[in-house]
Amino acid sequence: MTIMPAMPSWHLKPQLAAATLLACSVLGLSGCSLFAPAHKPPKPAAEETAPSEPVTRESCLCSDSDVDELLSYHHAVRQMNAAEINKTLAGLGRSNPGPNLSARQLVQKAMLTASLHGSGDLARAQVLLDQVLASNKPDAERLKPLASLLNASYAEWRRVDENADKLTQQLRDEQRRSEQLSDKLEALKNIERSLQARPALPATAPGAADPPK
């Protein structure tokens, strides 16, 4: 039996280092495959949507512009006299005859009618504004805040007018009663003066003989 001579330790170190390096390389590769993140499926492409219409300053300020124009119109109406208001009302009716007035025209007609200050004009103006408030049309929706404000203002105006009419009637009643009392007092004074102006009866002389029987 042949016994192989033992190799010196200095000769085994390079071989051991090479084997160790090879083992670490294999373990490193397997570890990378184990701990590598799972492959995620690609996300589906976002569905293309139709581009929305751009929001412009003009579309946002449409309501404000309508209200500003009607407020300027209301200021102009307040400067008109009755003849000018009636003429404007007639022209408004000619431009759009019949009941199919737009919300803008209904508000204008209400402003004109209320400015006439006649009996029942405020009530008629409120009826016109109620048509705007009850409408579901887009132009009416934009003007509903203004129509509601005018309607409340006209209602308060009517209450003030009604209270003023009541006070005026009470004042007239008081004046009539005062005149009636003055007439009665003057009549009593006239009676007193007439009694003072009547001549006194002649007095009978003392000791005078009685007339013969």
Side-chain angles (χ1 to χ4, degrees):
M1 180 177 180
T2 304
I3 299 174
M4 296 295 295
M7 297 183 68
S9 59
W10 61 269
H11 184 70
L12 293 175
K13 286 181 178 180
Q15 296 177 354
L16 182 60
T20 303
L21 181 61
L22 179 60
C24 290
S25 299
V26 173
L27 291 174
L29 291 175
S30 62
C32 291
S33 62
L34 290 175
F35 295 98
H39 178 69
K40 296 181 180 180
K43 295 181 179 180
E47 296 182 358
E48 295 183 359
T49 57
S52 59
E53 296 181 359
V55 179
T56 61
R57 180 177 177 84
E58 287 75 9
S59 62
C60 293
L61 296 182
C62 181
S63 177
D64 292 340
S65 176
D66 291 343
V67 172
D68 289 341
E69 290 178 2
L70 284 173
L71 289 176
S72 299
Y73 184 85
H74 184 262
H75 179 72
V77 169
R78 294 180 61 185
Q79 310 301 320
M80 297 180 182
N81 55 35
E84 292 171 338
I85 291 174
N86 287 321
K87 182 178 179 180
T88 306
L89 277 172
L92 187 62
R94 286 194 300 268
S95 63
N96 193 354
N100 297 323
L101 293 174
S102 66
R104 180 189 181 92
Q105 290 172 327
L106 286 171
V107 173
Q108 289 176 334
K109 190 173 182 180
M111 291 177 177
L112 292 165
T113 304
S115 298
L116 287 173
H117 304 293
S119 177
D121 287 333
L122 288 174
R124 283 188 285 271
Q126 285 185 285
V127 171
L128 295 170
L129 294 174
D130 287 339
Q131 296 180 32
V132 178
L133 295 174
S135 176
N136 295 324
K137 295 181 180 179
D139 60 337
E141 292 292 339
R142 293 195 299 267
L143 297 179
K144 280 185 178 181
L146 177 60
S148 178
L149 180 63
L150 288 173
N151 201 348
S153 176
Y154 294 159
E156 182 64 24
W157 196 351
R158 287 180 64 187
R159 284 192 290 270
V160 171
D161 285 349
E162 290 173 358
N163 290 334
D165 291 340
K166 290 180 181 178
L167 291 175
T168 301
Q169 186 62 39
Q170 291 176 1
L171 180 60
R172 290 174 180 172
D173 294 340
E174 292 296 330
Q175 288 177 345
R176 184 172 60 255
R177 283 193 290 268
S178 177
E179 291 175 355
Q180 291 175 354
L181 291 175
S182 297
D183 292 341
K184 290 180 179 179
L185 181 60
E186 187 65 26
L188 291 174
K189 289 181 179 181
N190 291 334
I191 294 174
E192 184 180 1
R193 284 194 293 267
S194 65
L195 291 175
Q196 291 176 355
R198 181 178 300 177
L201 295 175
T204 305
D210 295 332
K213 294 180 182 181

